[in-house]
Amino acid sequence: MTSLRVADVVRSSYVDGPGHRYALFLQGCTFNCPGCHNPHTIAPRSPDARDVPVAEIVADVAEVAPFLTGITVSGGEATLQWEAVHALFEALALDPATSRLTRLVDTNGDAEAGVWSVLATSMHGAMVDLKALDPHVHRVLTGRTNDRVLRSIRDLAARRRLDEVRLLVVPGVNDTADQIDATGRWLASIDPVPPVVAQGFRHHGTRLRARAWAEATTRDLERVADGLAAYGLDVRRRSLPEVAVAV
């Protein structure tokens, strides 16, 4: 029986993708971001997480399906359990009560192309976080390089499965003019060009190291959005409480 290691479930969410969604937060992540709003989901194991069979999740989604637009699988990092996520999406697609729901993955993008080639057959799209285009800045923000993230964004776009790219704006860390210019130029080179969200960093839920970083202001988001839009990108701005936080 296929199961998912689940950290949290939010049966009614308006902040984890388009419309009214069922949000599933999985345990375990490949990154160790000081600014993560759900740091309890980073470790591969947690006493608060539980293994939940796919059939049980489908039944729970079906109960509230009449009120939903779709389901979002988040984390942690959803692709760490990609085989079980694929099994869940296939089961949701086959169940008459849930088949009409859109199926999205909320991801840090740190996955191999083989993972996306499978998930692309069962999901409608992926929302990918791009913490920084500069690999050194990306390592400061996540503890890892961004090679696989950049490949994932291009790969998902080519498969027509890239729902949006989200840039977390951390003032003084990843929002310098040269970084925004380089990021805008790179995103504009993707085919097709994806929608972009400039998302403001907040201290809520983060660990001590991230508290030294400034929170993004409305002016910061406007500046970054304008800088990206100069490359013809469709940019939206988003800040807490719109940012997803597992509870």
Side-chain angles (χ1 to χ4, degrees):
M1 181 183 300
T2 303
S3 296
L4 287 143
R5 199 176 315 119
V6 176
D8 285 299
V9 174
V10 177
R11 299 176 90 203
S12 175
S13 171
Y14 287 95
V15 297
D16 293 290
H20 185 202
R21 311 192 70 77
Y22 184 104
L24 194 64
F25 293 85
L26 304 186
Q27 186 67 39
C29 188
T30 54
F31 289 172
N32 186 18
C33 305
C36 179
H37 296 290
N38 299 314
H40 63 287
T41 67
I42 294 175
R45 295 282 177 184
S46 165
D48 296 324
R50 62 191 184 102
D51 292 332
V52 184
V54 163
E56 183 177 324
I57 298 171
V58 173
D60 195 46
V61 175
E63 278 191 12
V64 291
F67 311 103
L68 296 175
T69 307
I71 176 171
T72 297
V73 181
S74 184
E77 171 49 34
T79 60
L80 269 180
Q81 302 181 55
W82 64 271
E83 290 170 298
V85 172
H86 178 58
L88 170 64
F89 284 170
E90 285 195 319
L92 289 166
L94 289 173
D95 191 315
T98 58
S99 60
R100 68 171 181 81
L101 302 178
T102 56
R103 302 176 295 275
L104 299 179
V105 170
D106 185 341
T107 175
N108 65 19
D110 187 36
E112 295 293 344
V115 171
W116 298 123
S117 69
V118 175
L119 285 177
T121 65
S122 61
M123 71 177 185
H124 290 93
M127 302 174 287
V128 183
D129 288 332
L130 175 59
K131 298 294 197 308
L133 187 68
D134 184 307
H136 301 292
V137 177
H138 191 275
R139 190 178 290 277
V140 169
L141 291 171
T142 71
R144 297 283 292 272
T145 186
N146 60 3
D147 294 352
R148 296 207 299 185
V149 180
L150 303 184
R151 283 200 299 269
S152 289
I153 290 173
R154 286 198 181 279
D155 186 0
L156 286 162
R159 296 178 189 276
R160 304 301 193 264
R161 289 293 186 274
L162 183 58
D163 203 61
E164 67 181 24
V165 174
R166 296 172 303 199
L167 179 64
L168 179 68
V169 178
V170 186
V173 179
N174 67 350
D175 67 337
T176 59
D178 59 333
Q179 288 188 81
I180 297 306
D181 283 345
T183 303
R185 192 178 309 112
W186 185 80
L187 288 170
S189 73
I190 294 171
D191 183 22
V193 177
V196 178
V197 175
Q199 190 161 283
F201 169 71
R202 292 290 185 271
H203 289 153
H204 179 79
T206 64
R207 289 173 287 174
L208 187 61
R209 181 180 163 195
R211 304 297 173 88
W213 299 337
E215 293 189 329
T217 65
T218 299
R219 188 178 181 85
D220 290 326
L221 292 182
E222 288 175 348
R223 174 174 48 79
V224 170
D226 289 347
L228 296 173
Y231 289 89
L233 300 171
D234 175 17
V235 185
R236 289 181 289 126
R237 289 169 285 165
R238 183 184 300 160
S239 59
L240 277 175
E242 297 177 83
V243 175
V245 180
V247 294

